[in-house]
Amino acid sequence: MATFPEYIAQNEERDGVRFSWNVWPSSRLEATRMVVPVAALFTPLKERPDLPPIQYEPVLCSRATCRAVLNPLCQVDYRAKLWACNFCYQRNQRGPQMPLVFLYVVDTCMEDEDLQALKESLQMSLSLLPPTALVGLITFGRMVQVHELGCEGISKSYVFRGTKDLNAKQLQEMLGLTKPSATQGRGPQTAQQPLSNRFLQPVQKIDMNLTDLLGELQRDPWPVTQGKRPLRSLGVAMSIAVGLLECTFPNTGARIMTFISGPATQGPGMVVGDELKTPIRSWHDIEKDNAKFMKKATKHYESLANRASTNGHIIDIYACALDQTGMLEMKCCANYTGGYMVMADSFNTSLFKQTFQRVFTKDVQGSFKMAFAATLEVKTSREIKVSGAIGPCVSLNAKGPCVSENEIGTGGTCQWKICGLDPSTTLALYFEVVNQHNAPIPQGGRGAIQFVTQYQHSSGQRRIRVTTTARNWADAQSQIQNIAASFDQEAAAILMARLAVYRAETEEGPDVLRWLDRQLIRLCQKFGDYHKDDPNSFRFSETFSLYPQFMFHLRRSPFLQVFNNSPDESSYYRHHFNRQDLTQALIMIQPVLYAYSFNGPPEPVLLDSSSILPDRILLMDTFFQILIYHGETVAQWRKAGYQDMPEYENFRHLLQAPVDDAQELLHTRFPMPRYIDTEHGGSQARFLLSKVNPSQTHNNMYAWGQESGAPILTDDVSLQVFMDHLKKLAVSSAA
């Protein structure tokens, strides 16, 4: 019989599913007393090399009232590529495979060095696209240019003012695009016509032209006077990109890849004026209701995000600048569509170049690891309903018998649209047990949940992946031990954290921390072992023992604490937290720390100030940063150059070991982390000091003695103090 940890690992490996509880309380009342809801982290495209797809999806009759499946009794006309339904006699097209569409939207208000680096990255990406993929180019500065790609030898573009928004109909008329007519798709002749237009052309046909066109891109010619920001019409450029795809490729997989080097400064979607002396909004401004462009800009980008997600189109944002660019206002574009959000200081950094290249990673079959225009449907057995989802998705408003009235996250539906998916995209799904207290579930009964993911594979095929999972029911009165033993504290921590981050995005800050604390105290009261009013008697079983420290680190994390982060940085961190899988999300909450010393191989150590010793090198992985920290003595030896002397070869190896390990992480992660090399007393040591548990602070350092770690200058409470308070509150009869 497998232990619960083995069972949890096997299920994750096979299904890409982790539940907060692996035995479910059998009644609604008992389920609410569990504090942590029955919920799942689900990775729809979990990599499974042993799962060969059936070569095509079921082909359905196109008559809405019939929808019968193509079968051996149908008559097929191979020359005209038609088949006749044997139920309703409808003549049906054999559908063409859809090409992938990539639309580049490029900011030209940037320094020449940055623009040159970006142009090279874009040219590189063309060589990685499948030859049949369609590409388009929109560039913008003060004006917005939509480039015609079909014309040989001359570059032609349509120029739009950056101050006036256009709706889809106006854009269609101005660009001379006709919508695919209602008759298209009936007769056999239209099946042969390639799906493209002057602005979106197959790579194989225009890669030379487009490579040249990108090479010739110049910095925006409008002069920028001193003390001013360049006029950047980002809002209109994105609006045109969304409109162009909306009227040419509705409901087809497409990526709008937006590259920006600063904030929108004019027209719809502007987030800051052009006067440099007025800085872009900070958290302080937002709290004081002093961010005058924020609401209007957010509304503009939300409407674009909704239009794109309706059509299955992804919006990626690559923002490379030293200051904020408006990610806060634009975050919905990536969050609603499953797009990527990448932030770096410049396009001329390996952080941007490597991350962008990794977008085009291929699997062993040579297909992109990206999927398009997906829908996820959840079906449940009758004792359980789905409350909602948190992740890079939007609601399809599909009501049904398995939809709960209690919404959590994006709820009120059993179907969600995920325009962009990759093998690590993970959604959090929350469920409600609806079985009544007095309606017993038969002995040995199981609750079942089915996840049906339909998506466009990067080969153009539509695919369906079905994951069905079941868990045992237990009566919480007589079998509470069974339920407690089935607790997955890692999954539960991430599921509660996603809920907290969702609340932080929609509610006020301190309330979220209070809510989180209250849930933790209730969990301790329900599942801890203790005597009333005796904090020293409190014990938590192994299944729960790590959960409080996850909550301790979550409270201090950039996902809930906005202090020291700009609004853009907070949006960026939260974006990644809400889409990554469990392993990566745990690292984000509680970074991993390794120690290197002369005493042997590197070892994982506590994320604690007592781990910072003078003769040690530490490697910290926070997901967003990889940091190497040299203790005081090691830093002095390094300054003195001992590593270059032949008799201190082992010191050279010690310095090199963490660098090699860091490289491995830097080469595999998406997005590529920021690499920080620092030492005792270095300015960037603050990244380490802000993450470790401050078990020694300037207040208690003398009690510890000098050699046992690094005191931290902070008023934050330590994990020990946090746990003492928690135990006191959990055992209190007044609570």
Short mmCIF file of all heavy atoms in Angstrom, two decimals, residues 428-450:
data_model
loop_
_atom_site.label_atom_id
_atom_site.label_comp_id
_atom_site.label_asym_id
_atom_site.label_seq_id
_atom_site.Cartn_x
_atom_site.Cartn_y
_atom_site.Cartn_z
N ALA A 428 -5.39 26.86 -10.77
CA ALA A 428 -5.90 26.41 -9.47
C ALA A 428 -7.41 26.34 -9.60
O ALA A 428 -8.05 27.30 -10.03
CB ALA A 428 -5.51 27.41 -8.39
N LEU A 429 -7.98 25.18 -9.26
CA LEU A 429 -9.44 25.01 -9.34
C LEU A 429 -9.98 24.69 -7.96
O LEU A 429 -9.40 23.88 -7.24
CB LEU A 429 -9.79 23.89 -10.32
CG LEU A 429 -9.43 24.28 -11.77
CD1 LEU A 429 -8.68 23.18 -12.45
CD2 LEU A 429 -10.68 24.67 -12.54
N TYR A 430 -11.08 25.36 -7.60
CA TYR A 430 -11.63 25.23 -6.25
C TYR A 430 -13.00 24.57 -6.32
O TYR A 430 -13.81 24.90 -7.20
CB TYR A 430 -11.73 26.62 -5.60
CG TYR A 430 -10.36 27.26 -5.46
CD1 TYR A 430 -9.78 27.94 -6.52
CD2 TYR A 430 -9.62 27.14 -4.28
CE1 TYR A 430 -8.51 28.49 -6.42
CE2 TYR A 430 -8.35 27.69 -4.17
CZ TYR A 430 -7.80 28.36 -5.24
OH TYR A 430 -6.53 28.88 -5.14
N PHE A 431 -13.24 23.66 -5.39
CA PHE A 431 -14.48 22.87 -5.43
C PHE A 431 -15.26 23.05 -4.13
O PHE A 431 -14.72 23.47 -3.12
CB PHE A 431 -14.15 21.39 -5.65
CG PHE A 431 -13.41 21.14 -6.93
CD1 PHE A 431 -12.02 21.10 -6.97
CD2 PHE A 431 -14.11 20.98 -8.12
CE1 PHE A 431 -11.34 20.92 -8.16
CE2 PHE A 431 -13.43 20.79 -9.32
CZ PHE A 431 -12.04 20.75 -9.34
N GLU A 432 -16.54 22.70 -4.21
CA GLU A 432 -17.39 22.75 -3.01
C GLU A 432 -18.08 21.40 -2.87
O GLU A 432 -18.69 20.91 -3.84
CB GLU A 432 -18.44 23.85 -3.16
CG GLU A 432 -19.32 23.96 -1.94
CD GLU A 432 -20.51 24.91 -2.12
OE1 GLU A 432 -20.89 25.20 -3.27
OE2 GLU A 432 -21.07 25.33 -1.09
N VAL A 433 -17.96 20.80 -1.68
CA VAL A 433 -18.70 19.57 -1.42
C VAL A 433 -20.15 19.98 -1.14
O VAL A 433 -20.39 20.83 -0.29
CB VAL A 433 -18.11 18.82 -0.19
CG1 VAL A 433 -18.95 17.60 0.14
CG2 VAL A 433 -16.66 18.43 -0.46
N VAL A 434 -21.11 19.41 -1.89
CA VAL A 434 -22.50 19.85 -1.72
C VAL A 434 -23.38 18.77 -1.09
O VAL A 434 -24.56 19.00 -0.84
CB VAL A 434 -23.12 20.32 -3.06
CG1 VAL A 434 -22.47 21.60 -3.52
CG2 VAL A 434 -23.00 19.24 -4.13
N ASN A 435 -22.80 17.61 -0.83
CA ASN A 435 -23.59 16.53 -0.22
C ASN A 435 -24.09 16.97 1.16
O ASN A 435 -23.33 17.52 1.96
CB ASN A 435 -22.70 15.29 -0.08
CG ASN A 435 -23.51 14.04 0.11
OD1 ASN A 435 -24.45 13.79 -0.64
ND2 ASN A 435 -23.17 13.26 1.11
N GLN A 436 -25.37 16.73 1.45
CA GLN A 436 -25.92 17.19 2.73
C GLN A 436 -25.45 16.32 3.89
O GLN A 436 -25.13 15.14 3.71
CB GLN A 436 -27.46 17.22 2.68
CG GLN A 436 -28.01 18.35 1.82
CD GLN A 436 -27.44 19.71 2.19
OE1 GLN A 436 -27.23 20.03 3.36
NE2 GLN A 436 -27.12 20.53 1.19
N HIS A 437 -25.43 16.93 5.07
CA HIS A 437 -24.91 16.28 6.27
C HIS A 437 -25.62 14.97 6.59
O HIS A 437 -25.02 14.02 7.06
CB HIS A 437 -25.07 17.26 7.45
CG HIS A 437 -24.17 16.92 8.59
ND1 HIS A 437 -22.80 16.81 8.43
CD2 HIS A 437 -24.43 16.66 9.91
CE1 HIS A 437 -22.26 16.50 9.61
NE2 HIS A 437 -23.22 16.40 10.51
N ASN A 438 -26.92 14.94 6.29
CA ASN A 438 -27.70 13.75 6.67
C ASN A 438 -27.85 12.75 5.51
O ASN A 438 -28.62 11.82 5.59
CB ASN A 438 -29.09 14.16 7.17
CG ASN A 438 -29.74 15.13 6.18
OD1 ASN A 438 -29.22 15.32 5.08
ND2 ASN A 438 -30.86 15.73 6.57
N ALA A 439 -27.12 12.99 4.40
CA ALA A 439 -27.21 12.06 3.26
C ALA A 439 -25.90 11.29 3.16
O ALA A 439 -24.96 11.76 2.54
CB ALA A 439 -27.46 12.85 1.97
N PRO A 440 -25.82 10.12 3.79
CA PRO A 440 -24.54 9.42 3.82
C PRO A 440 -24.13 8.92 2.44
O PRO A 440 -24.97 8.54 1.64
CB PRO A 440 -24.80 8.23 4.76
CG PRO A 440 -26.27 8.03 4.74
CD PRO A 440 -26.89 9.36 4.45
N ILE A 441 -22.81 8.97 2.18
CA ILE A 441 -22.29 8.43 0.93
C ILE A 441 -21.98 6.96 1.20
O ILE A 441 -21.42 6.63 2.25
CB ILE A 441 -21.01 9.20 0.53
CG1 ILE A 441 -21.43 10.58 0.02
CG2 ILE A 441 -20.23 8.46 -0.54
CD1 ILE A 441 -20.31 11.54 -0.19
N PRO A 442 -22.36 6.05 0.28
CA PRO A 442 -22.12 4.63 0.56
C PRO A 442 -20.65 4.33 0.84
O PRO A 442 -19.76 4.99 0.29
CB PRO A 442 -22.59 3.94 -0.73
CG PRO A 442 -22.75 5.01 -1.75
CD PRO A 442 -23.03 6.26 -1.00
N GLN A 443 -20.42 3.38 1.72
CA GLN A 443 -19.07 2.97 2.11
C GLN A 443 -18.23 2.71 0.85
O GLN A 443 -18.69 2.06 -0.09
CB GLN A 443 -19.18 1.67 2.95
CG GLN A 443 -17.90 1.27 3.65
CD GLN A 443 -17.43 2.33 4.65
OE1 GLN A 443 -18.23 2.93 5.35
NE2 GLN A 443 -16.14 2.58 4.67
N GLY A 444 -17.00 3.25 0.85
CA GLY A 444 -16.11 3.00 -0.30
C GLY A 444 -16.45 3.84 -1.52
O GLY A 444 -15.88 3.64 -2.59
N GLY A 445 -17.36 4.81 -1.37
CA GLY A 445 -17.72 5.67 -2.52
C GLY A 445 -16.56 6.61 -2.87
O GLY A 445 -15.73 6.93 -2.02
N ARG A 446 -16.52 7.05 -4.13
CA ARG A 446 -15.45 7.98 -4.55
C ARG A 446 -16.07 9.17 -5.29
O ARG A 446 -17.06 9.02 -6.00
CB ARG A 446 -14.46 7.28 -5.50
CG ARG A 446 -13.89 5.99 -4.94
CD ARG A 446 -12.79 5.45 -5.82
NE ARG A 446 -11.51 6.05 -5.46
CZ ARG A 446 -10.42 5.98 -6.21
NH1 ARG A 446 -10.45 5.37 -7.36
NH2 ARG A 446 -9.30 6.54 -5.82
N GLY A 447 -15.46 10.32 -5.09
CA GLY A 447 -15.87 11.51 -5.84
C GLY A 447 -14.97 11.61 -7.06
O GLY A 447 -13.77 11.38 -6.96
N ALA A 448 -15.55 11.98 -8.21
CA ALA A 448 -14.75 12.02 -9.44
C ALA A 448 -14.77 13.42 -10.06
O ALA A 448 -15.77 14.13 -9.98
CB ALA A 448 -15.29 11.01 -10.43
N ILE A 449 -13.64 13.78 -10.66
CA ILE A 449 -13.53 15.05 -11.39
C ILE A 449 -12.85 14.76 -12.72
O ILE A 449 -11.84 14.06 -12.76
CB ILE A 449 -12.70 16.09 -10.59
CG1 ILE A 449 -13.43 16.45 -9.28
CG2 ILE A 449 -12.47 17.35 -11.43
CD1 ILE A 449 -12.62 17.34 -8.36
N GLN A 450 -13.43 15.30 -13.79
CA GLN A 450 -12.82 15.12 -15.10
C GLN A 450 -12.45 16.50 -15.67
O GLN A 450 -13.24 17.43 -15.62
CB GLN A 450 -13.80 14.42 -16.04
CG GLN A 450 -13.20 14.07 -17.39
CD GLN A 450 -14.13 13.22 -18.23
OE1 GLN A 450 -15.16 13.71 -18.71
NE2 GLN A 450 -13.81 11.95 -18.41
#
